[in-house]
RNA sequence: UCCCCUGUAGCUCAAUGGUAGAGCGGGCGGCUGUUAACCGCCAGGUUACUGGUUCGAGUCCAGUCGGGGGAGCCA
């Protein structure tokens, strides 16, 4: 085996590689034969959007036996000399005059190889998730996803945040962010029972009920009250029966937590983070973004440029409701009439972010009755320091809040919402020992990618999507 | 979970209740520094499944399963 040169490295500086020898390894996209005695093989190794054209002469020993049998998907290794070529549009390109070509693996039955050089529907590709990585779309998606993840870590690290690895499995029954997946080693066909007939979880692996996490927030708060600025970034699980283009049962979430911070600093952080992610995408993955503009969403690049250029709109919930009410009074048709105190419907959120402002909107200070117990009560006694960021096209992309740091107020809220204070003993301890104002938020990674690429469905923004009734691959 | 749409060749889609079709992809041949190549020929089907209406069902009806869109829940 040779160590091949990534095609990305070659394409980055064609003039530097011209007339040099190299070995490239990858998968065939297309093959065209010329009776002038050569075949053209387009080879992709996924290192960048563009493939490399191999020019294969019929003088190779395996030309008739192997080269002429190459079809889309075959894996090959080619050795030869790189030459600079002039593209029809005047751009400088590079191709390889092949001197040796080794086939690692043929495609068993080219007739049924699912990834053909043509447009496939996203639904079909979802059913071919093990091979869709070889398409232009998912290659670009995979590279952009990587770049955005790197940008997340870079942004936080540059701003003094530490990455905290919060647990995937939790026996805490106080996360309260949604339906949870159970984690158990009990024999489902033969469950141990307590004398009163209930399942005896004391015999389970952890000696109590345990689940997959729905949020790392409570855990990461513990570390914020020690390392000051922290974040989690990892998989999160919701067993909700949600069948939409914006929901996954397993998704990745970014949850920073800032000590000595209020809601405004929280929103600043969210805005800075998203802009850093998109700026990195625009500069580092221009080739892939160009493809999304051509084939998926014409606005993909200009949308991100606009996103990065202007400050987010920031309004209070009360003002947001006023705007929606005024629109309704002015004849705008909503299915649900807006009123102060309601949890805004998608249609209201869409109206604000798409019609009124045409850019991301931070909505702050929601009525306390529609928000979680841990959100900090404002001085008006009616609202909490919560914020949602709404983006055109996908709706809610961030949910965050300043946390209630006063033990007496927190306890009152826990009681008010009929929760069990004892279950929150360690969370309450944070307020008993050196409590400080702090704030944080959750950013849905796949939703952010959907926004950036224009892909309309988060199921196409993760390599292997998990949704209700669907856990293939 | 609710509402709506949908299921035909490997893929994308046609077919008024009356013989199952095309383009792409694949195979063979021709042409060509080709690049969404082009030209000719060939192969490819239990029309998702089960039942019903009808002389006759891909088409109409009922049920089941799958897929999609919207809503709710949220990120």
């Amino acid at each position: 085996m040779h160590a091949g040169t990534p095609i990305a490295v070659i394409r980055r500086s064609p003039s530097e590689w011209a007339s040099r020898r190299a070995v490239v390894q990858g998968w065939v996209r297309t093959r065209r034969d010329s009776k002038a005695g050569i075949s053209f093989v387009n080879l992709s190794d996924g290192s960048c959007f563009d493939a490399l054209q191999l020019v294969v002469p019929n003088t190779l020993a395996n030309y008739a036996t192997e080269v002429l049998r190459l079809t889309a998907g075959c894996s090959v290794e080619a050795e030869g000399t790189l030459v600079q070529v002039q593209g029809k549009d005047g751009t400088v390109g590079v191709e390889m005059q092949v001197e040796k070509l080794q086939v690692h693996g043929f495609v068993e039955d080219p007739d049924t190889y699912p990834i053909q050089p043509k447009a496939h529907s996203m639904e079909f590709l979802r059913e071919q998730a093990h091979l869709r990585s070889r398409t232009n779309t998912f290659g670009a998606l995979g590279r952009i996803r990587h770049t955005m993840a790197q940008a997340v870590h870079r942004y936080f690290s540059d701003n003094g945040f530490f990455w905290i690895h919060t647990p995937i499995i939790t026996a805490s029954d106080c996360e309260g962010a949604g339906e949870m997946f159970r984690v158990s080693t009990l024999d489902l066909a033969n469950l141990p029972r307590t004398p009163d007939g209930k399942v005896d979880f004391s015999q389970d692996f952890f000696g109590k009920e345990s689940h997959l996490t729905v949020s790392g927030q409570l855990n990461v708060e513990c570390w914020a009250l020690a390392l000051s600025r922290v974040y989690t970034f990892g998989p999160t699980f919701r067993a909700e029966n949600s069948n939409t283009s914006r929901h996954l049962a397993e998704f990745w979430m970014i949850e920073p937590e800032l000590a000595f911070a209020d809601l405004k600093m929280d929103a600043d952080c969210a805005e800075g983070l998203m802009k850093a992610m998109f700026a990195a995408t625009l500069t580092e993955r221009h080739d892939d973004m160009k493809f999304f503009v051509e084939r998926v969403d014409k606005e993909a690049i200009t949308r991100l440029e606009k996103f990065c250029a202007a400050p987010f709109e920031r309004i209070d919930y009360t003002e947001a409701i006023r705007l929606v009410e005024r629109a309704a009074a002015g004849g705008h048709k909503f299915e649900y009439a807006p009123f102060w105190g309601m949890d805004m419907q998608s249609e209201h959120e869409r109206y604000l972010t798409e019609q009124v402002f045409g850019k991301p909107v931070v909505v702050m200070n929601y009525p306390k009755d529609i928000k979680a117990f841990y959100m900090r009560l404002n001085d008006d006694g009616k609202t909490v320091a919560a914020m949602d960021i709404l983006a055109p096209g996908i709706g809610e992309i961030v949910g965050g809040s300043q946390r209630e740091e006063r033990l007496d107020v927190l306890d009152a809220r826990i009681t008010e919402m009929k929760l069990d204070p004892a279950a929150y003993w360690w969370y309450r301890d944070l307020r008993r020992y050196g409590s400080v104002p702090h704030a944080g938020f959750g950013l849905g990674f796949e939703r952010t990618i959907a926004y950036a690429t224009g892909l309309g469905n988060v199921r196409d923004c993760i390599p292997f999507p998990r949704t209700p009734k669907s856990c293939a691959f």
Side-chain angles (χ1 to χ4, degrees):
Chain A
M1 292 285 283
H2 297 79
T5 303
I7 292 171
V9 171
I10 295 168
R11 296 201 77 103
R12 204 171 295 140
S13 37
S15 52
E16 189 183 313
W17 281 87
S19 73
R20 281 175 63 179
R21 290 182 63 78
V23 173
V24 292
Q25 300 154 324
W27 293 265
V28 172
R29 281 290 175 77
T30 60
R31 188 198 90 225
R32 274 175 295 276
D33 306 318
S34 165
K35 280 300 177 313
I38 46 177
S39 288
F40 302 97
V41 174
N42 255 68
L43 192 74
S44 165
D45 67 0
S47 60
C48 59
F49 181 82
D50 288 311
L52 180 72
Q53 175 157 281
L54 307 179
V55 182
V56 189
N58 63 1
T59 50
L60 295 194
N62 60 346
Y63 183 79
T65 53
E66 297 196 314
V67 175
L68 287 180
R69 285 173 54 215
L70 290 175
T71 55
C74 294
S75 52
V76 305
E77 177 168 328
E79 187 175 350
T81 306
L82 295 162
V83 294
Q84 206 166 304
V85 290
Q86 192 88 11
K88 277 178 185 144
D89 52 357
T91 55
V92 176
V94 65
E95 65 181 24
M96 176 184 275
Q97 295 287 346
V98 175
E99 288 145 38
K100 202 172 124 201
L101 186 144
Q102 180 195 349
V103 179
H104 281 289
F106 279 102
V107 165
E108 200 175 88
D109 180 6
D111 193 34
T112 57
Y113 181 64
I115 309 302
Q116 302 168 356
K118 58 168 288 186
H120 290 94
S121 68
M122 297 304 271
E123 294 77 23
F124 169 73
L125 291 174
R126 238 169 261 156
E127 291 168 3
Q128 306 291 336
H130 60 312
L131 295 172
R132 70 177 183 171
S133 46
R134 300 186 184 190
T135 62
N136 281 331
T137 305
F138 285 93
L141 180 271
R143 288 182 295 269
I144 284 174
R145 193 178 159 106
H146 163 84
T147 294
M148 289 180 71
Q150 291 292 311
V152 167
H153 291 303
R154 203 182 317 132
Y155 172 82
F156 282 130
S157 194
D158 288 352
N159 285 282
F161 286 72
F162 296 101
W163 183 17
I164 303 300
H165 304 112
T166 50
I168 303 291
I169 300 174
T170 172
S172 157
D173 54 0
C174 55
E175 291 183 352
E179 290 295 311
M180 302 172 96
F181 287 102
R182 182 180 299 286
V183 174
S184 175
T185 53
L186 294 178
D187 180 2
L188 282 178
N190 186 21
L191 288 171
R193 301 280 175 177
T194 57
D196 59 355
K198 292 192 177 125
V199 176
D200 184 5
F201 286 106
S202 73
Q203 294 187 44
D204 205 345
F205 188 88
F206 295 109
K208 60 204 303 205
E209 285 190 77
S210 56
H211 299 90
L212 295 179
T213 184
V214 293
S215 164
Q217 180 197 317
L218 269 44
N219 292 291
V220 89
E221 276 188 53
C222 303
W223 284 77
L225 297 204
L227 306 196
S228 296
R229 295 178 149 219
V230 297
Y231 69 104
T232 77
F233 183 13
T236 307
F237 308 86
R238 304 272 168 94
E240 306 282 353
N241 189 14
S242 295
N243 295 287
T244 82
S245 54
R246 303 180 307 283
H247 290 86
L248 292 165
E250 177 181 310
F251 65 102
W252 284 57
M253 188 156 63
I254 300 145
E255 295 176 285
E257 196 69 31
L258 299 75
F260 308 101
D262 59 15
L263 191 64
K264 185 189 171 300
M265 294 162 78
D266 199 31
D268 289 345
C269 179
E271 183 169 345
L273 171 65
M274 277 189 278
K275 285 181 173 175
M277 292 168 78
F278 293 153
T281 304
L282 286 171
T283 57
E284 294 167 33
R285 291 264 58 100
H286 185 257
D287 54 347
D288 293 318
M289 286 305 292
K290 222 173 83 209
F291 170 78
F292 281 112
V293 167
E294 283 162 16
R295 294 297 174 85
V296 177
D297 179 359
K298 283 199 278 292
E299 306 298 319
I301 287 179
T302 52
R303 180 171 55 243
L304 292 194
E305 287 171 344
K306 269 167 60 186
F307 189 105
C308 293
F312 289 8
E313 194 67 35
R314 298 190 191 197
I315 57 172
D316 268 10
Y317 167 88
T318 302
E319 174 64 13
I321 289 291
R322 231 192 321 263
L323 286 169
V324 182
E325 279 178 333
R326 196 178 306 157
H332 191 97
K333 285 272 174 285
F334 290 115
E335 197 176 332
Y336 295 91
F339 61 92
W340 197 96
M342 82 184 307
D343 207 355
M344 278 193 284
Q345 303 286 308
S346 289
E347 56 177 345
H348 304 136
E349 298 181 340
R350 265 205 317 272
Y351 173 78
L352 286 175
T353 190
E354 290 168 15
Q355 312 267 28
V356 179
F357 298 110
K359 61 177 180 173
V361 182
V362 187
V363 180
M364 296 177 294
N365 299 312
Y366 282 81
K368 65 172 181 161
D369 293 334
I370 58 172
K371 288 293 181 184
F373 74 92
Y374 53 74
M375 298 186 176
R376 191 179 193 279
L377 189 66
N378 287 325
D379 291 344
D380 61 14
K382 297 189 304 188
T383 61
V384 290
M387 60 122 183
D388 283 354
I389 300 183
L390 315 175
I394 37 167
E396 185 179 340
I397 194 168
V398 164
S401 67
Q402 185 174 340
R403 321 304 190 188
E404 184 54 74
E405 85 280 13
R406 300 160 297 188
L407 184 62
D408 55 334
V409 183
L410 182 71
D411 282 345
R413 290 282 288 151
I414 289 176
T415 311
E416 196 178 314
M417 299 183 106
K418 300 196 168 51
L419 301 168
D420 176 16
Y424 297 90
W425 68 271
W426 56 268
Y427 190 69
R428 293 175 66 253
D429 267 6
L430 298 179
R431 279 72 183 166
R432 296 171 64 209
Y433 306 127
S435 189
V436 297
H438 61 292
F441 63 87
L443 171 67
F445 192 46
E446 286 75 18
R447 285 185 185 178
T448 310
I449 295 171
Y451 181 79
T453 57
L455 288 168
N457 196 318
V458 290
R459 290 167 212 171
D460 301 320
C461 295
I462 190 168
F464 298 98
R466 272 82 179 90
T467 54
K469 298 284 189 300
S470 176
C471 188
F473 308 101

